[in-house]
Amino acid sequence: MGSHPKDVEITDEHPKGLLLQKHADYILSYTRKKEDYEYTMTEHFRMSGMYWGLTAMDILSQLDKMSRGEVVEFIRQCQDPESGGFSPSLGHDPHLLFTLSAVQILVMLEALEEVDVEGVVRYVSGLQREDGSFSGDQWGEVDTRFSFCAVACMALLKRLDTLKLDKAVEFVMCCQNVDGGFGTRPGSESHAGQIYCCLGLLSITGQLHQVNGDLLGWWLCERQLPSGGLNGRPEKLPDVCYSWWVLASLAMLGRLHWINAPKMRLFIMATQDPETGGFTDRPGDMVDLYHTLFGLAGLSLLGETGLREINPVFCMPQYILTRLAVSVQIVSP
């Protein structure tokens, strides 16, 4: 296989098929290792870790193996009674990133009645600024990720009416660059993760027509390296998480067929650990929940058998969005 200075090599020794049960076992074992170094070191993003693990299990059709009561109780304890937002773990400050993760989990488990939903609405809508952007928390950092988190939260709660959507769209469009991509804020370089967030917001608000799909589609396709893997911006190594950020963006734009899917699949499969289960960022590295979810989600977008269909905007199984009657705009191929 052709090499590239910023690429990895896929060999015959790497896994070629989906180790489905291994991944379910890995996620289950992770939730039971509460004294482990790895578990204790992830406290500052525990809520997102729970979302990654639960969503991965749902994609594998094994969500019923997770302890619903334990999860809901943890989330309930992480809601700040004053602001209404959710923190990553007990004793931490609330943040928009973890508030979206909490809402996604509660929707997945049909447990919204267990928390103060009005508090969530108040918290999220209170973080919108005059120019339409959103702060991540009370300290005021602005990033297009937070714009997506806020709009996705309110879409799932059916409370989009509490946001100034026109202004939110206006801010996101100010973050678009001449290459068609989007950055964290106006003037920032294009990055696949930010592109996903901006397209997600435009998809939820029905404004995808404001994007030049061909221009952005080509920028996204150029993220594919000879190994089949995708990077987040030029001259970077491939990482399995971009199997999600890039593929989901192409799916929203109706251009998923522009990618070399067989090579993409080979790369994702090669990031599996055949001994422990789980996915890594690239072949040979350590597995974690984050890359496990996005490896599975990327394979789901590619139509892998044995996996539930994933929604490219919310990164949640499609049946949940169908049950909620939450619709998004996707460009027809």
Side-chain angles (χ1 to χ4, degrees):
M1 188 168 286
S3 62
H4 183 280
K6 296 282 186 181
D7 201 4
V8 296
E9 195 175 349
I10 309 298
T11 69
D12 290 339
E13 290 167 21
H14 291 117
K16 300 285 185 290
L18 182 60
L19 310 171
L20 200 146
Q21 195 51 48
K22 281 270 189 188
H23 302 314
D25 293 343
Y26 161 69
I27 297 162
L28 274 171
S29 70
Y30 187 92
T31 63
R32 296 184 186 126
K33 294 177 181 170
K34 294 189 169 57
E35 304 308 316
D36 273 20
Y37 175 79
E38 186 188 359
Y39 187 90
T40 53
M41 289 305 288
T42 58
E43 185 186 345
H44 61 290
F45 57 81
R46 176 76 31 82
M47 187 69 74
S48 291
M50 291 183 88
Y51 156 71
W52 300 329
L54 289 161
T55 306
M57 287 298 270
D58 206 356
I59 295 170
L60 294 165
S61 299
Q62 300 199 35
L63 185 60
D64 58 334
K65 293 191 177 163
M66 306 298 268
S67 172
R68 183 185 187 276
E70 202 179 310
V71 169
V72 172
E73 180 57 24
F74 172 79
I75 294 175
R76 214 174 50 72
Q77 290 177 9
C78 287
Q79 186 169 26
D80 178 37
E82 198 175 317
S83 70
F86 290 91
S87 62
S89 197
L90 307 182
H92 291 253
D93 290 333
H95 194 285
L96 206 36
L97 288 173
F98 307 114
T99 299
L100 174 58
S101 292
V103 168
Q104 287 173 301
I105 296 168
L106 292 166
V107 165
M108 211 183 313
L109 299 178
E110 298 185 88
L112 278 173
E113 73 284 350
E114 302 277 351
V115 301
D116 174 14
V117 171
E118 287 308 312
V120 181
V121 174
R122 191 174 66 247
Y123 175 73
V124 174
S125 58
L127 289 170
Q128 189 166 21
R129 297 157 69 103
E130 210 51 45
D131 64 356
S133 66
F134 286 84
S135 304
D137 58 17
Q138 62 175 326
W139 312 113
E141 184 196 358
V142 168
D143 187 314
T144 44
R145 285 181 304 159
F146 309 149
S147 294
F148 170 72
C149 289
V151 170
C153 259
M154 294 299 98
L156 290 171
L157 297 176
K158 308 282 188 75
R159 297 299 297 275
L160 281 170
D161 58 306
T162 62
L163 304 179
K164 299 182 184 76
L165 292 180
D166 288 351
K167 295 289 283 181
V169 169
E170 203 177 295
F171 173 76
V172 159
M173 292 310 298
C174 284
C175 299
Q176 188 171 32
N177 296 315
V178 291
D179 57 16
F182 293 84
T184 54
R185 54 185 70 85
S188 298
E189 72 168 319
S190 298
H191 186 281
Q194 307 300 144
I195 289 168
Y196 163 81
C197 291
C198 294
L199 288 180
L201 182 146
L202 296 172
S203 172
I204 293 168
T205 55
Q207 296 296 313
L208 279 176
H209 60 271
Q210 295 207 39
V211 175
N212 181 333
D214 285 348
L215 180 65
L216 180 50
W218 279 120
W219 189 93
L220 290 163
C221 287
E222 284 170 354
R223 305 281 58 77
Q224 190 164 31
L225 296 164
S227 65
L230 299 160
N231 60 22
R233 53 203 165 105
E235 298 305 311
K236 296 293 180 181
L237 281 166
D239 185 322
V240 88
C241 71
Y242 294 113
S243 308
W244 175 255
W245 311 121
V246 173
L247 292 184
S249 297
L250 286 168
M252 286 184 246
L253 293 172
R255 288 162 174 81
L256 189 54
H257 58 290
W258 283 16
I259 211 85
N260 184 327
K263 287 187 82 170
M264 177 82 260
R265 182 183 178 278
L266 267 180
F267 175 84
I268 301 175
M269 291 301 184
T271 65
Q272 300 174 102
D273 188 317
E275 289 177 34
T276 64
F279 290 75
T280 66
D281 55 353
R282 57 193 69 91
D285 288 352
M286 289 285 288
V287 299
D288 58 58
L289 286 178
Y290 175 82
H291 291 97
T292 298
L293 167 60
F294 293 123
L296 289 169
L299 288 171
S300 173
L301 280 178
L302 294 175
E304 187 69 27
T305 52
L307 300 179
R308 287 195 196 273
E309 180 191 352
I310 194 102
N311 181 282
V313 176
F314 291 95
C315 195
M316 297 167 72
Q318 180 56 46
Y319 80 91
I320 295 169
L321 283 309
T322 303
R323 181 178 73 200
L324 262 187
V326 170
S327 60
V328 292
Q329 180 190 15
I330 304 287
V331 177
S332 298

